Amino acid sequence: MSKLVSGKPTLLSPMTPMVLLVRTAAKLGRGKQALRFIVNNAMMPPDSKVFRGYTPTRADVFVATFPKSGTNWGMQICQQIAHRGAAEFDHIHEVVCWPEAPMPDLVKFDDPGPLKASPTGLRVIKTHLRAGVVPYTADAKYFTIIRDPKEVTVSSYLFLLGLMGIRHLVTPAQWVDWWCDESFLGGAWAEHTNGYWGMRDRPNVVVRSFNQVKADLGGTIDAVAELMGVDLSASERAAVGERGSFAYMKAHESQFGPPPIPLSRPDQAPQMIRRGAVGGSSELIDAEQRARIDEFSRAQLRKIGSDFPYDEMF
């Protein structure tokens, strides 16, 4: 795991073909098509084999978020609750598996280590897959954070395009064009949001908006601890709150950061814990572009029959 997080990227990295594909395509004006292929077939496939044949148990806590929507935040909250505020790791993916990820150095889905080390008998599982692809049982627990798509658009531009080394080839206006495509990230956001929003009334599911977590971290911790069946003492709850704060996670960026990127200098890697702000999309996109994302997102939700209260949330 340490190689993935802090070592030097090599041409043997499993990310190399994806990076090369996207960079070459972007230089030829086909960056959107290449990224869409990777997102739809590797990052968030509509059907995935990783969970086939697996029945989740009471030990499983799924952090099921759309990319750039507070995933590390959700993992940290759940991991710290599972360890009563005392979870220690050099990197989050030493202890939290990510079954669909292509990086082989992450802790494996079937590795018994995280479960054996857990004082509560719970393990955390990260996934970006849609609700219909993630196996559901009444015994397992599911936590999702839904973020304003305007903020996701900005965060994904800075992170994903930085990760692939093509941010200098794509303007924010072009990225908004790419986002507002039902076959790409904008459409996937609506599908992902609708799927987990539809599960919100189940007793083993907690759904929060990014804004709600930001405004009431303590209340979110209480709700997730109850979901997980963990009775925290006052000192344990305080420890989870401290370690789940933006300030703590920003100060421990290396524990959550992306792997070194093939063919890039380490100092070019995008920040994983960047701002953690609500309503900050204006830093990159203008009012007209924000309105376009709003209208596109509303239209996508209407198209799939979602009752997600978009205007109330965002």
Side-chain angles (χ1 to χ4, degrees):
M1 184 63 213
S2 60
K3 291 182 180 179
L4 177 68
V5 177
S6 60
K8 295 180 179 179
T10 72
L11 293 178
L12 298 178
S13 167
M15 290 186 65
T16 301
M18 289 191 292
V19 172
L20 286 173
L21 171 64
V22 172
R23 290 184 185 177
T24 301
K27 291 175 182 177
L28 297 173
R30 305 284 291 177
K32 175 185 176 181
Q33 290 83 350
L35 268 180
R36 181 169 55 196
F37 176 82
I38 289 171
V39 168
N40 292 343
N41 291 277
M43 291 176 58
M44 298 179 64
D47 185 25
S48 177
K49 298 178 181 179
V50 296
F51 290 119
R52 286 185 185 174
Y54 181 71
T55 301
T57 72
R58 67 157 302 278
D60 293 333
V61 181
F62 289 88
V63 176
T65 56
F66 193 78
K68 308 311 299 171
S69 298
T71 309
N72 280 283
W73 208 1
M75 288 193 294
Q76 175 73 334
I77 290 169
C78 292
Q79 184 67 17
Q80 292 300 334
I81 291 172
H83 285 252
R84 299 189 173 279
E88 298 287 350
F89 45 83
D90 289 331
H91 193 276
I92 191 73
H93 283 305
E94 293 176 345
V95 292
V96 175
C97 64
W98 183 8
E100 71 265 24
M103 290 82 80
D105 292 327
L106 278 64
V107 65
K108 300 295 188 292
F109 181 47
D110 58 358
D111 188 329
L115 193 55
K116 288 181 179 179
S118 174
T120 59
L122 298 167
R123 66 154 178 175
V124 182
I125 302 168
K126 167 186 173 179
T127 184
H128 290 316
L129 297 176
R130 297 170 177 84
V133 183
V134 177
Y136 174 84
T137 67
D139 290 331
K141 294 85 177 169
Y142 302 81
F143 176 41
T144 192
I145 300 173
I146 301 173
R147 193 176 189 183
D148 185 334
K150 299 185 293 297
E151 295 172 10
V152 180
T153 302
V154 170
S155 186
S156 60
Y157 174 83
L158 296 171
F159 183 81
L160 181 58
L161 299 192
L163 194 71
M164 293 295 173
I166 64 169
R167 200 165 67 201
H168 64 292
L169 298 174
V170 183
T171 67
Q174 287 175 313
W175 183 244
V176 171
D177 285 340
W178 294 11
W179 177 275
C180 293
D181 179 339
E182 65 178 295
S183 67
F184 194 32
L185 287 169
W189 178 89
E191 291 282 356
H192 195 282
T193 296
N194 179 58
Y196 289 102
W197 178 251
M199 297 167 61
R200 67 193 182 280
D201 293 329
R202 299 181 186 184
N204 60 331
V205 178
V206 167
V207 177
R208 289 287 187 276
S209 73
F210 189 95
N211 304 21
Q212 290 169 333
V213 181
K214 186 73 175 179
D216 187 12
L217 178 59
T220 298
I221 289 170
D222 291 341
V224 176
E226 182 178 358
L227 169 77
M228 295 169 62
V230 178
D231 186 13
L232 297 171
S233 68
S235 61
E236 291 168 346
R237 182 184 183 277
V240 174
E242 195 273 328
R243 293 189 176 202
S245 69
F246 175 80
Y248 180 94
M249 294 181 66
K250 182 65 176 176
H252 295 79
E253 169 93 18
S254 64
Q255 295 181 354
F256 306 96
I261 310 306
L263 309 175
S264 296
R265 299 194 313 268
D267 63 352
Q268 292 177 326
Q271 290 179 303
M272 183 67 81
I273 312 298
R274 194 177 65 88
R275 292 182 61 205
V278 170
S281 57
S282 60
E283 68 175 298
L284 193 72
I285 55 178
D286 63 27
E288 183 177 345
Q289 291 163 337
R290 297 195 300 275
R292 181 182 176 191
I293 294 169
D294 281 334
E295 184 50 42
F296 174 82
S297 301
R298 293 188 194 101
Q300 287 299 299
L301 290 167
R302 287 195 300 268
K303 183 176 180 179
I304 58 179
S306 178
D307 64 349
F308 180 74
Y310 187 90
D311 291 317
E312 177 184 331
M313 288 289 193
F314 310 128

